């Protein structure tokens, strides 16, 4: 089968389309023919080997040689004990812990798979796993956004931002989305009430206070972020610099305690089994999936460059035949 392979960290040029062995499903695994796979920032981070947390398991060289985690496709074959699915069924999955989605076929443990939601295409379903889990848990489960609250989503123009802005609006919040100049119109189109151009304005210095800051691109100090919270507000670190992550982990529990401000890491529970509320909203037309661009498998390097260089608005998809 064809797969997009890399053996060292670097720019998109280190990726190459190669012929590799089609995997054989283990007892509890399902062989899926990949029909669509969406790109995430975690693919870009895993390609570049930065931030440092993206090298977990492969400090000098990538442990997994095929990136791509959010897949939708069709069951091709099943292992002896994988009885939940049958060949021909449409499925989707998040395979972040093992990657391998930029390929024609992938083996997935049956527990990580769910049936393709009715009414959603392979491409739409593939946009949901990682971005949707971050947004659902950031806005609803951990963010606990209430009507009228002020919410800032930093990095709102990307994949998780796409769903986080819409969920925060559905919860009745007043939403501000921050991202680069090119993405501001897109963030407004998702329903955001205000936008901030991070290349011109630092949200921690603007003198505004939020009940929730969902930080998808955390590059400011934890104490600066604390300053952007209203009393009783929450700051959730999702991704960004390792320096900010360490500050959040080490200082977060004490910073802002006096003003009842909570500064925490959002450790996302990944897995399509947690996505049901978002899937239902998509099926009901209350949340929209936005696919900015589609690429072929051979164009994965180009697709990743588009995302990594800051152009992708919403999701980017690799569609296979
Ligand atoms: N905590 C967890 O458990 C967990 C789980 C999975 C993933 N993650 C992390 O979640 C993060 C977000 O994922 P995603 O797929 O939504 O990424 P994405 O699609 O790339 O979106 C991130 C957005 O942030 C923007 N941005 C970059 N620097 C910024 C800054 N200084 N201020 C404001 N915005 C900035 C990016 O624009 P530019 O293009 O201009 O850079 C991009 O639009 C990733 O870092 C990923 O590793 C965390």
């Amino acid at each position: 089968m064809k797969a997009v392979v890399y053996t060292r960290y670097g720019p998109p040029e280190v990726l190459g389309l190669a012929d590799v062995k089609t995997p054989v499903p283990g007892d509890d695994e399902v062989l899926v023919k990949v029909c669509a796979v969406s790109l995430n920032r975690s693919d870009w981070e895993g390609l570049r080997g930065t931030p440092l947390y993206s090298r977990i398991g492969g400090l000098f060289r990538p442990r997994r040689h095929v990136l791509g985690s959010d897949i939708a496709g069709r069951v091709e074959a099943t292992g002896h004990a994988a009885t939940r699915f049958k060949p021909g069924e449409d499925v989707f999955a998040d395979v972040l812990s093992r990657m391998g989605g930029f390929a024609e076929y992938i083996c997935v443990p049956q527990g990580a798979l769910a049936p393709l939601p009715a009414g959603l295409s392979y491409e739409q379903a593939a946009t949901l796993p990682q971005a949707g889990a971050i947004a659902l848990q950031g806005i609803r489960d951990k963010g606990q956004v209430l009507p009228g609250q002020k919410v800032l989503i930093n990095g709102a123009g990307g994949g998780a931002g796409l769903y986080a802005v819409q969920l925060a609006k559905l919860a009745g919040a007043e939403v501000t989305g921050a991202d680069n100049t090119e993405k501001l119109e897109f963030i407004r189109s998702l329903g955001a009430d205000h936008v901030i151009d991070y290349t011109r304005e630092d949200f921690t210095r603007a003198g505004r206070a939020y009940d929730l800051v969902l930080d998808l691109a955390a590059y400011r100090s934890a104490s600066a972020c604390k300053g952007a919270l209203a009393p009783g507000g929450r700051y959730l670190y999702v991704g960004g610099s390792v320096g900010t992550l360490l500050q959040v982990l080490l200082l977060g529990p004490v910073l802002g305690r006096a003003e009842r401000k909570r500064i925490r890491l959002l450790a996302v529970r990944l897995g399509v089994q947690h996505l049901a509320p978002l899937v239902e909203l998509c099926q009901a037309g209350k949340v929209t999936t936005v696919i900015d661009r589609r690429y072929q498998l051979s164009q994965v390097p180009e697709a990743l460059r588009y995302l990594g260089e800051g152009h992708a608005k919403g999701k980017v998809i690799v569609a296979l035949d």
Side-chain angles (χ1 to χ4, degrees):
M1 69 167 187
K2 301 273 185 217
V4 177
V5 174
Y6 79 131
T7 52
R8 62 188 171 93
Y9 297 115
E13 289 71 25
V14 303
L15 294 161
L17 188 68
D19 284 306
V20 300
K21 265 191 170 170
T22 303
V24 176
D27 275 358
D28 190 46
E29 289 182 338
V30 172
L31 178 68
V32 177
K33 179 181 178 350
V34 180
C35 297
V37 49
S38 83
L39 271 58
N40 288 292
R41 171 75 43 172
S42 47
D43 295 311
W44 178 250
E45 293 169 344
L47 170 67
R48 309 286 313 194
T50 176
L52 207 56
Y53 59 68
S54 65
R55 294 190 182 220
I56 290 172
L59 192 55
F60 301 108
R61 291 185 174 274
R63 185 165 58 112
R64 310 273 183 205
H65 293 167
V66 180
L67 292 163
S69 65
D70 291 9
I71 59 130
R74 182 161 293 176
V75 173
E76 192 75 12
T78 55
H80 297 302
T83 50
R84 286 179 47 202
F85 296 93
K86 292 194 174 52
E89 274 186 70
D90 289 329
V91 290
F92 78 131
D94 180 335
V95 291
L96 183 66
S97 57
R98 54 167 61 197
M99 296 297 212
F102 296 147
E104 289 178 312
Y105 295 91
I106 183 172
C107 282
V108 182
Q110 63 171 347
L113 283 171
L116 193 77
L120 297 193
S121 65
Y122 293 123
E123 295 183 7
Q124 287 173 316
T127 67
L128 290 173
Q130 201 180 122
I134 293 172
L136 259 183
Q137 290 163 46
I139 298 296
R140 287 192 169 189
D141 305 352
K142 299 287 181 205
Q144 296 176 8
V145 172
L146 298 171
Q149 287 193 327
K150 291 187 170 54
V151 173
L152 172 74
I153 296 160
N154 192 41
L162 157 69
Y163 294 117
V165 171
Q166 296 185 75
L167 289 175
K169 281 307 295 175
L170 279 174
E174 181 181 330
V175 178
T176 303
D179 214 303
N180 74 42
T181 324
E182 204 183 319
K183 302 190 187 183
L184 302 182
E185 224 17 76
F186 168 66
I187 297 169
R188 278 200 193 91
S189 76
L190 297 174
D193 303 284
H194 316 283
V195 291
I196 294 176
D197 182 343
Y198 81 78
T199 66
R200 294 174 193 197
E201 194 184 346
D202 179 343
F203 76 86
T204 63
R205 295 184 178 191
R208 286 185 287 265
Y210 300 94
D211 299 294
L212 171 69
V213 173
L214 182 66
D215 206 346
L216 304 165
Y219 296 105
R220 292 177 179 83
S221 74
S223 65
C225 294
K226 185 200 85 169
L229 291 180
R234 290 164 202 249
Y235 169 89
L236 293 174
Y237 174 106
V238 181
S241 85
V242 171
T244 307
L245 173 62
L246 292 175
Q247 289 172 21
V248 166
L249 290 175
L250 299 174
L251 307 176
V254 284
L255 264 179
R257 195 187 275 168
E259 300 147 285
R260 294 179 298 107
K261 296 179 178 178
R262 274 158 293 184
I263 295 159
R264 299 284 187 273
L265 163 71
L266 177 69
V268 180
R269 278 177 304 127
L270 294 167
V272 287
Q273 66 272 30
H274 306 303
L275 285 179
L278 181 61
V279 166
E280 282 163 25
L281 289 168
C282 292
Q283 289 170 320
K286 292 183 178 162
V287 166
T288 312
T289 57
V290 179
I291 296 171
D292 180 7
R293 287 200 176 178
R294 290 171 177 77
Y295 291 87
Q296 295 171 6
L297 188 61
S298 59
Q299 296 173 310
V300 164
E302 228 175 300
L304 278 170
R305 184 179 293 288
Y306 182 71
L307 180 137
E309 290 184 349
H311 307 298
K313 298 165 201 74
K315 295 294 293 184
V316 173
I317 286 282
V318 172
L320 290 88
D321 288 341

